[in-house]
Amino acid sequence: MVSKEKSSGGPVSGTRSPKASGRAHPVTLRQVAEEAGVSTATVSLVVNKKKDARISAETRKRVRDAISKLGYRPNALAKTLVSGTSRFIGLVADAIATTPFAGQIIQGAQDEAWKHGYALLIANTEGNADLENDAITMMLEYKVRGILYSTWFHRETDVPVSLHEADFVLVNCFSNDPDARAVVPDEAQGGQSATEILLGHGHRRIAFINATTPAPAKDGRLEGYKRALENAGIPFDPDLVLEAYPDQEGGYGATQELLQLGVTAVYCYNDRMAMGLYDALREQGLSIPEDMAVVGFDNQEVIAAHLRPPLSTVALPHYELGAAGVRILLGLEEPPASAAAKIHCPTVERTSVRVQAPA
């Protein structure tokens, strides 16, 4: 005969205490009703904030107190099945989650979504069409309120067929699809503002180093440059517009030609190009801003704020692009009837520009 020894403390071997039994079961609607002394239907009406229901203020308070005491959480899935939509907004992106400064699109969308009671579901597809389709399908299955479809640089895009099954807004991209609402940076305004920084400091002979790669930014930033000169009464000189690959090497390589133009200031297509220009000017024994004033574009913080001297530039409004996309999706902001909504690109003035002394 096997004897059973008494435990000196705690449960007998083979039994489990409530705490040892693993995760606690979620509190049910019935338990809240029993605690408050009302029906489950009454609890449901209070939980779903049915203001027209005939429930006294005292009863509503008893139900809310019971919910707080027991830690009851409404079943979001059940509410989704009833309403046909959830408190999620989807964001499908090609690369912005892995691009530091463009990741602000996510931050802007997330902050704006939270402000209106929504959470963000994010899928970063790296441009893979199969992953993109799977992500959109998953979001549709979760009954998202709508989907933001974003690219890491401003460009025209083809709208995936499956995206038409949801309410959607394009962010940092656009399409000729008549159903595609979009929000993009105002490249022309940004180019104008960049040039006006230099004009405002007395410069009149200003070069522009543009990109070689066709893109809305290339066209828009040039248009803004021309517009600023025209407003200042300065004739546009096509010889002062150079083209280079939009990176450090491009800016570095354009410097010799730039120095032959006799300009006092230069506006660069982006901050990386300006960084290459800094290096080349330094090698020539020239200083910024004494010998050459420089303005960039993008406000890529890891570059612009840490160059010596810090670079004056124009910021791409990534945060506001994400936030505006959510507002348009939720119907809180109306986009233009036949074109993409354009978001203002703010100037960020640092010390790479100074007042030009009279000749």
Side-chain angles (χ1 to χ4, degrees):
M1 185 175 185
V2 179
S3 64
K4 294 183 179 178
E5 294 184 5
K6 290 185 178 180
S7 170
S8 59
V12 175
S13 177
T15 68
R16 302 175 70 185
S17 69
K19 287 185 178 179
S21 63
R23 189 184 309 169
H25 291 294
V27 177
T28 65
L29 206 69
R30 183 176 295 280
Q31 288 172 304
V32 174
E34 291 172 354
E35 177 69 25
V38 298
S39 68
T40 55
T42 297
V43 175
S44 179
L45 291 170
V46 173
V47 167
N48 290 297
K49 300 179 181 179
K50 300 292 185 180
K51 294 182 180 179
D52 56 345
R54 289 185 164 183
I55 303 172
S56 69
E58 190 275 333
T59 299
R60 288 181 186 272
K61 183 177 184 305
R62 286 210 320 272
V63 172
R64 286 195 293 267
D65 289 346
I67 288 171
S68 178
K69 178 181 177 181
L70 298 177
Y72 171 74
R73 296 179 187 278
N75 187 322
L77 178 60
K79 292 176 73 174
T80 297
L81 291 173
V82 171
S83 66
T85 188
S86 71
R87 303 302 291 180
F88 288 115
I89 290 173
L91 189 153
V92 177
D94 63 355
I96 63 172
T98 54
T99 306
F101 67 99
Q104 294 171 31
I105 289 176
I106 293 175
Q107 188 68 53
Q110 181 172 274
D111 288 351
E112 193 69 23
W114 274 119
K115 189 187 298 183
H116 302 289
Y118 289 85
L120 210 60
L121 288 178
I122 303 167
N124 191 60
T125 66
E126 296 297 331
N128 183 303
D130 291 334
L131 284 178
E132 184 174 88
N133 185 64
D134 289 346
I136 293 171
T137 299
M138 177 272 290
M139 290 174 181
L140 292 172
E141 290 172 352
Y142 272 86
K143 306 290 185 184
V144 293
R145 169 61 181 79
I147 297 174
L148 304 181
Y149 182 86
S150 184
T151 56
W152 81 270
F153 72 93
H154 180 192
R155 63 180 175 86
E156 185 172 6
T157 189
D158 294 322
V159 178
V161 175
S162 55
L163 203 57
H164 286 280
E165 296 181 46
D167 194 10
F168 70 92
V169 175
L170 305 180
V171 177
N172 207 34
C173 54
F174 62 96
S175 170
N176 57 14
D177 185 328
D179 296 325
R181 294 172 296 170
V183 55
V184 298
D186 192 338
E187 305 282 5
Q189 168 269 311
Q192 180 175 341
S193 295
T195 310
E196 286 174 345
I197 293 174
L198 297 167
L199 290 167
H201 285 78
H203 293 276
R204 292 296 177 266
R205 191 163 175 79
I206 301 167
F208 174 39
I209 308 179
N210 203 356
T212 54
T213 311
K218 178 185 179 182
D219 297 337
R221 295 175 195 185
L222 175 60
E223 178 188 338
Y225 168 76
K226 291 178 177 179
R227 187 191 301 168
L229 294 176
E230 181 181 356
N231 290 345
I234 299 172
F236 169 68
D237 182 352
D239 290 338
L240 298 187
V241 178
L242 311 181
E243 289 193 354
Y245 194 77
D247 65 3
Q248 297 94 310
E249 292 302 316
Y252 183 92
T255 305
Q256 282 299 333
E257 185 178 356
L258 175 74
L259 292 175
Q260 295 170 8
L261 297 174
V263 298
T264 64
V266 58
Y267 149 44
C268 296
Y269 171 84
N270 64 20
D271 296 343
R272 288 177 296 158
M273 193 179 277
M275 182 164 64
L277 177 65
Y278 266 52
D279 290 339
L281 290 173
R282 192 171 292 114
E283 288 180 4
Q284 294 289 327
L286 301 174
S287 61
I288 300 168
E290 290 78 11
D291 298 308
M292 185 75 70
V294 182
V295 169
F297 203 114
D298 287 352
N299 193 34
Q300 195 165 349
E301 284 283 343
V302 293
I303 296 175
H306 300 289
L307 288 173
R308 292 293 176 267
L311 179 67
S312 291
T313 188
V314 172
L316 279 172
H318 289 111
Y319 182 94
E320 183 56 26
L321 286 170
V326 170
R327 291 195 297 270
I328 290 172
L329 186 70
L330 296 179
L332 303 172
E333 187 173 302
E334 283 295 322
S338 59
K342 293 183 179 180
I343 303 299
H344 181 85
C345 300
T347 56
V348 182
E349 295 199 43
R350 298 189 176 98
T351 54
S352 63
V353 180
R354 75 169 189 175
V355 175
Q356 168 71 4

